[in-house]
Each structure stands twice: as C-alpha cells, then as structure tokens.
Amino acid sequence: MTEPRRSVGFGSRFGWLAAVVWLVYLGQPLGTIWKHPPGLARDLGLVAIVAFGAGYLALFVRLRAAIWRRRSIPPGQAAAALGGLFAIGALIIPSAGEDWMVTLVYVSASAVLILPTRAALAVVAVLVVIPVVVPQFVPGWEPESGVAFAVLLAAVAVFAFGRLVERQTQLLDAQQEIHRLAVAEERARTARDLHDILGHSLTVIAVKAELAGRLLEIDPGRAGAEVADLERLARDALADVRSTVGAYREITLATELASARTALRAAGVVAELPTSDVELPPARSELFGWAVREGVTNVVRHSGARRCVIRVRPDEIEVLDDGRGPLVDGADGPHPGHGLLGLRERAEQLDARVVVGRGPGGRGFRLQVSFAGALP
C-alpha cells in the first residue's frame, strides 16, 4: 500500500521565514558596525554579520529538512557548524565591540536545535556565562546580564519548539498508521464477506447444477425447476456481491434460515430448522445469520451428512449434522478455511464465543456461537 503523502502547504514551503524574522535582532550590532569609522574593521564587520545571518538561516533550513526526512544532523557536522557560526560572529568584535554578544543568542538557539540534549545544555551554560564574565576582562565593556538572560530564554524557547515539532511528527506518524490499519481492516472485511457470500452461494449453485444434470433424463420438469432456481440463486449471489461492495448488504437470521432450508433441500439433507422467529437485537441476528450461513455451507460442501439440525435460543445458536465431523475434536472441521476464521472475528467484535467440534455422542459436526453476558 502506498504511504499517504504529507500535506505540503504554506508552513512546509515557507517555514524558513520563521528564522528570517528573528534576524531583526542583528540590527543592533549592524548599526554599531555601520557607525564605525570606515576601514578594514568596518568592512570585515559588515561581511561577517551578513555571513553570520546567512549561516544561521542555512543551518535552520538544513535542520528542518533533516527533521522532515526523519534524519538527524551527524554530531561532527553539528559541532563544526556551531563552531563556525560562533567564529563568524566573533569576527564583528573589532567593529561592533560588546554588541557582538547578541550573536550568542543565535548560537544558543542553534545549539539546542542541532546538538544532543546534554551537549546543548553544556554549550548554553557557557554562552550564558560569556556576557557576564568576559566584559570584566575587556576595558570599556559592561557585563550584559540582559544578553545572558536572552541567551537562556532563547534556549528554553527553542527547546519547547523542538518538543512541539517532535510531537507533531509523532502525530503525523500515528495518523498514517491509523490510515494504514483502517485500509487493511477494510480489505480484510471485504475479503471475508466476499468469501462467505460466494462460498455459500456457489456451493448451493454447484449442488443444484449437479442435481439438475441428473434429472434431465429422469424428470425434465423438475430439472427445469432446478435450472430456474439456479438462475435465481446466481442473481441473488450477484446482488449480494454488489451490495457488499456498496457496503449496504444486510444479513439476518431469518433470511439465512430461509436460504438454509433451500440449500439443504437441494443437497438432499433432511433439515430441522426453527419453526418460529426468535426476537434478537440486530447485531446478534446478523452474527447468528453468518453462523447459519457458514454452518450450512460446511454441511453441504464437506460433511457428507444426511441430517442437519439448527437450534436457536436468545443467547446461542447451534448447527449440528450427522456427517464425518472433524478429524480431531475441537478442530475447525475436515476442511478448515476462511469461513470459520471470519465467523470468529465477527463473534469477537460482539464478545461472543465460537465452539466447533464433534456433535453429541461423538458423531457429526457441531458449530456453536454463544453469548455469556447480556444482550449486545
């Protein structure tokens, strides 16, 4: 199955603008550099601050692409990028003086974004100390507690943003997994329903076709009636398939008992079915209908039985025959397949129990679906 593509909207195409907005704080050192007397220091400062802003943006875009692709920047590359960003920022010191410390805010934010948590904490701690300690050793500089606070605040804000991005990524993964499971469940449901519908209908059609073939020379009139039944059954099967694909087909106990009577009679099996309707909730009626369909299909197709009994109670249904029965008591029968598996899945959805095995006295086959609790 093709994995759903992530939506590509304004946020995914222009998310880098969020990093551009924060470059406004470089205006302070830029203004100081611009006021510096013309010369090598001023030119170096201008080039360095432009390179610093470009490097910060490039690092942001690189990290964003790595997150989108479920990858991380290798530690060596991350350390080199961070060191390079710090060094470029330091180049503006000759022209910007103590205002260069504004660049530490960007280095702090970048460290939290690209380094492992412990390494990022260590880097942020050093960057917080620099604006307070370094000015004490440089004549004319004043300790910048405001810059130190900004460095710490930027680290905390970016850390929170990173956790938000991580949660968003997990949410996207969860949504994709839910979509995948829903598609898989729908495919399994459709396969199960088609198997149950066609398995039963085609079995009855095959039995009637065989009977009609034997009656052609003995009793042409009855053979014609069987052929007419074949046409009706084929049309019913086609309608069932169409309604299954359209997801509006309804299975009930009453309709399946009527179909079972026809199928058993065509197969020459004596049928003992309930003579009165049992009032059941819709969900239970549908489950018992599937049980009748599966049980009768097995009787007609595999059992070689001469007699089939269906007993219905409000909390239980039983299908019994006097045929070969399972090879091992408790097994799914002589020819286990998808039908009983599908019936078990339906029963589990309603907290019902499916039991298969030998019939009373160790003879034949017994299929039982029962509820232990209250009506669903």
Side-chain angles (χ1 to χ4, degrees):
M1 180 185 67
T2 303
E3 180 178 317
R5 295 184 61 187
R6 300 180 187 279
S7 61
V8 180
F10 181 87
S12 60
R13 279 182 280 185
F14 302 103
W16 55 271
L17 289 176
V20 173
V21 170
W22 293 107
L23 292 179
V24 68
Y25 293 105
L26 290 178
Q28 179 181 345
L30 178 60
T32 303
I33 296 171
W34 190 258
K35 293 176 183 178
H36 193 277
L40 180 60
R42 182 174 182 266
D43 294 341
L44 177 62
L46 290 174
V47 172
I49 199 166
V50 171
F52 181 87
Y56 171 73
L57 285 178
L59 188 59
F60 181 87
V61 172
R62 170 75 173 83
L63 174 68
R64 188 168 163 276
I67 293 175
W68 193 251
R69 296 170 183 171
R70 299 292 193 278
R71 298 174 183 173
S72 59
I73 299 177
Q77 293 182 18
L82 205 62
L85 196 64
F86 180 84
I88 294 173
L91 290 176
I92 72 173
I93 292 177
S95 55
E98 60 188 319
D99 285 345
W100 82 278
M101 288 185 288
V102 172
T103 63
L104 300 180
V105 177
Y106 297 90
V107 177
S108 173
S110 300
V112 174
L113 283 173
I114 66 177
L115 292 178
T117 302
R118 291 185 179 179
L121 288 175
V123 171
V124 170
V126 172
L127 295 176
V128 169
V129 170
I130 289 176
V132 178
V133 174
V134 170
Q136 298 180 9
F137 300 94
V138 181
W141 287 17
E142 295 291 335
E144 296 283 355
S145 58
V147 174
F149 179 74
V151 169
L152 181 60
L153 185 62
V156 173
V158 171
F159 179 80
F161 174 75
R163 299 290 79 75
L164 179 63
V165 170
E166 183 180 345
R167 295 294 181 272
Q168 172 113 16
T169 301
Q170 292 173 349
L171 178 60
L172 287 172
D173 288 342
Q175 290 175 340
Q176 289 183 0
E177 181 65 12
I178 290 171
H179 175 82
R180 186 189 68 79
L181 291 175
V183 171
E185 174 63 22
E186 184 62 20
R187 286 176 176 174
R189 184 194 69 80
T190 302
R192 181 181 64 206
D193 287 358
L194 288 175
H195 168 273
D196 291 348
I197 289 171
L198 293 179
H200 174 81
S201 300
L202 294 179
T203 296
V204 176
I205 289 173
V207 170
K208 279 190 166 292
E210 183 181 357
L211 177 60
R214 292 200 304 264
L215 292 174
L216 277 176
E217 297 182 358
I218 303 174
D219 190 344
R222 186 179 171 189
E226 294 295 336
V227 170
D229 271 352
L230 281 174
E231 181 181 0
R232 178 184 59 79
L233 287 170
R235 293 183 184 277
D236 289 346
L238 180 60
D240 279 345
V241 171
R242 286 173 175 169
S243 58
T244 298
V245 173
Y248 59 83
R249 177 185 46 80
E250 182 180 4
I251 294 292
T252 65
L253 176 61
T255 57
E256 291 308 312
L257 285 174
S259 296
R261 194 181 304 276
T262 300
L264 292 171
R265 182 174 64 248
V269 178
V270 177
E272 290 187 19
L273 308 183
T275 56
S276 59
D277 293 337
V278 179
E279 293 295 329
L280 296 172
R284 185 167 295 193
S285 176
E286 180 179 359
L287 177 61
F288 282 4
W290 284 114
V292 169
R293 175 171 286 223
E294 177 59 25
V296 170
T297 298
N298 286 337
V299 169
V300 173
R301 184 185 295 175
H302 305 304
S303 69
R306 288 299 180 188
R307 183 184 183 86
C308 177
V309 179
I310 300 178
R311 297 171 183 162
V312 181
R313 290 181 284 275
D315 60 348
E316 180 183 278
I317 186 168
E318 227 178 10
V319 181
L320 301 158
D321 67 58
D322 60 355
R324 288 185 291 271
L327 299 177
V328 180
D329 194 26
D332 283 352
H335 298 276
H338 295 289
L340 284 171
L341 177 61
L343 182 61
R344 290 185 192 279
E345 292 175 353
R346 291 187 176 91
E348 287 174 0
Q349 293 173 2
L350 298 177
D351 293 327
R353 182 168 175 256
V354 177
V355 177
V356 295
R358 295 189 181 278
R363 298 181 58 191
F365 185 74
R366 172 174 173 259
L367 168 64
Q368 180 190 61
V369 179
S370 60
F371 290 87
L375 292 175

